[in-house]
């Protein structure tokens, strides 16, 4: 509990002047209204032959707890739900084309009354089962959602062009999916091209930790063409198969919790938001709250622009009726009435709270040892970038040797080239430190690192890196000047 000198003197029942004198004796020049720390309190009390009883403040309840917004469902309440899929991969390998082709060929003609529109997510039917695709491809979108605390993707489709093979962003995508623990299905795209070489892609993926099922591994790889539609049905079947194995479930019979996928201000209609429902069922007329924004759902449409009355788990819906434009990545809750919705929105405003990992919890080489000591950290996550492949590999080998009983060192992503935004987002979402050997962050990465408070360290000598990390793990890192 913070306490001022004056309050402390009162508590001790000692004249203020005497406390101040003792403080000066300890070398602390404090006026009566200054706050003194616990250790100083203990020392001063001891001088007066008294003992202090430090009362820790009660842990503040989160708004979710206070209003009982989220709670565990019972096993028997859980029902199977469709998988939510994100498409990732290197630029120009065909992510957008694949998403478009799936949308075009699998939105039933009977549904085509409504024209599919871009709302950030869409659902397709395959053999009467549904799959929801997030419509903004790329691992940056995927991880920036995670940054805000939302993990909505169940399966990642990694698109690799068969004529181009594994490229830097392919590797980034693999690291992003892996660090989020999201299973990967590979779509080897552009097989219609004469220069396509499926085996070469499999070989390159194997070198990067993904072994194809037909080669004895456990990664499903499906050759496809977004141009001719070849293989797409098989890809969708594989998604369903993977989803079945994941046993994805949610309770549809409760007030809804979802994530804002996209939001904008429509001139005529006001704030419009696409919600991906995660638990429960969102209904027309529900009172909802997301961050600062609250309101009653006064219109609800699906991805085909048809009016709907409700949306269950894993289904996207566009809603109208919110007071402000909410943030993409934030959670949205259905609550009992308008008053509760407004109270929560006001509280969120007051605490200026966002649904994201608190920046205070950031790891840095400086605070690493304290965190290990306090038992908060058992794993040090690193993103390692360097100028040449050989030195990156050598560096990783040496870093992994620093593993000890207290802390396990994991390299969640490594690569050749400058430190980019993708590295920072990944580090931020996984609470990792970024290490650059003979490479530097670009301007955007630097800005983002500052914003997200990610520790980025650049070096010119491998030995210095090893030394620093070793010292940090052992709590002997000299402070940087
Ligand atoms: P993205 O950057 O990953 O979203 O890639 P795009 O979907 O924009 O595709 C990049 C280019 O590759 C475009 O010119 C597409 O027409 C082309 N493309 C995508 N898929 C295929 C395919 O299966 N076969 C062929 N031949 N071209 C494709």
């Amino acid at each position: 509990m913070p306490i001022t000198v004056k309050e402390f003197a009162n508590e001790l029942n000692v004249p203020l002047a005497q406390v101040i004198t003792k403080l000066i004796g300890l070398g602390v020049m404090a006026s009566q209204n200054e706050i003194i720390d616990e250790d100083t309190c203990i020392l001063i009390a001891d001088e007066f032959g008294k003992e202090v009883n430090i009362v820790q403040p009660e842990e503040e309840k989160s708004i979710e707890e206070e209003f009982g917004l989220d709670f565990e469902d019972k096993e028997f309440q859980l029902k199977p739900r469709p998988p939510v899929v994100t498409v990732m991969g290197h630029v120009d390998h065909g992510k957008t084309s694949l998403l478009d082709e799936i949308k075009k060929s699998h939105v039933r003609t009977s549904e085509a009354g409504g024209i599919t529109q871009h709302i950030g997510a869409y659902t397709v039917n395959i053999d009467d089962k549904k799959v929801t695709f997030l419509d903004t491809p790329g691992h940056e979108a995927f991880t920036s959602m995670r940054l805000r605390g939302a993990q909505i993707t169940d399966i990642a489709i990694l698109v690799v062009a068969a004529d181009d093979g594994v490229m830097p962003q392919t590797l980034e995508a693999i690291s992003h999916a892996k660090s989020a623990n999201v299973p990967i299905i590979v779509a080897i795209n552009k097989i219609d091209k004469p220069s396509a070489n499926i085996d070469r892609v499999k070989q390159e993926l194997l070198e990067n930790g993904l072994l194809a099922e037909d080669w004895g591994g456990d990664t499903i790889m499906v050759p496809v063409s977004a141009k001719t539609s070849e293989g797409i049905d098989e890809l969708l079947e594989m998604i369903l198969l993977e989803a079945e194995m994941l046993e994805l479930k949610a309770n549809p019979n409760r007030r809804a919790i979802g994530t804002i996928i996209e939001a904008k201000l429509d001139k005529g209609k006001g704030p419009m938001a696409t919600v991906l429902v995660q638990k429960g069922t969102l209904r027309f007329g529900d009172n909802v709250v997301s961050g600062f924004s609250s309101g009653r759902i006064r219109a609800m449409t699906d991805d085909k622009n048809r009016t709907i009355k409700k949306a269950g788990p894993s289904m996207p819906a566009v809603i109208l009726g919110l007071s402000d434009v909410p943030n993409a990545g934030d959670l949205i809750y259905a609550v009992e009435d308008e008053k509760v919705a407004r109270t929560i929105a006001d509280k969120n405003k007051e605490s200026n709270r966002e649904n994201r990992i608190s920046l205070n919890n950031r790891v840095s080489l400086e605070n690493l040892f304290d965190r290990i000591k306090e038992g908060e950290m058992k794993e040090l996550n690193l993103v390692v970038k360097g100028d040449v492949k050989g030195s990156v590999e050598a560096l990783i080998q040496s870093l992994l040797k620093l593993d000890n009983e207290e802390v396990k060192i994991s390299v969640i992503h490594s690569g050749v080239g400058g430190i980019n935004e993708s590295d920072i987002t990944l580090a931020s979402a996984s609470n990792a430190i970024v290490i650059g050997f003979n490479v530097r962050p670009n301007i955007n990465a630097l800005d983002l690192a500052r914003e997200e408070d990610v520790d980025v360290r650049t070096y010119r000598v491998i030995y210095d890196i090893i030394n620093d990390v070793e010292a940090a793990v052992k709590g002997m890192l000299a402070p940087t000047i």
Side-chain angles (χ1 to χ4, degrees), residues 89-98 100 137 159 189-193 224-229:
H90 196 73
V91 64
D92 280 347
H93 278 197
K95 299 179 290 294
T96 315
S97 308
L98 190 67
D100 286 348
V159 180
N189 191 30
K190 306 197 186 185
I191 53 163
D192 59 283
K193 283 194 154 185
V224 301
S225 164
K227 192 175 174 191
T228 65
S229 223

Side-chain angles (χ1 to χ4, degrees), residues 230-244:
E230 189 183 344
I232 290 198
D233 281 340
E234 198 191 339
L235 176 66
L236 294 169
E237 292 293 334
M238 289 301 150
I239 295 173
L240 283 177
L241 199 72
E242 180 72 33
E244 227 165 83

Side-chain angles (χ1 to χ4, degrees), residues 84 127 207 222 229 340 385 390 436 468:
V84 178
D127 309 333
E207 286 159 18
V222 189
S229 223
V340 173
K385 296 296 284 280
D468 272 11

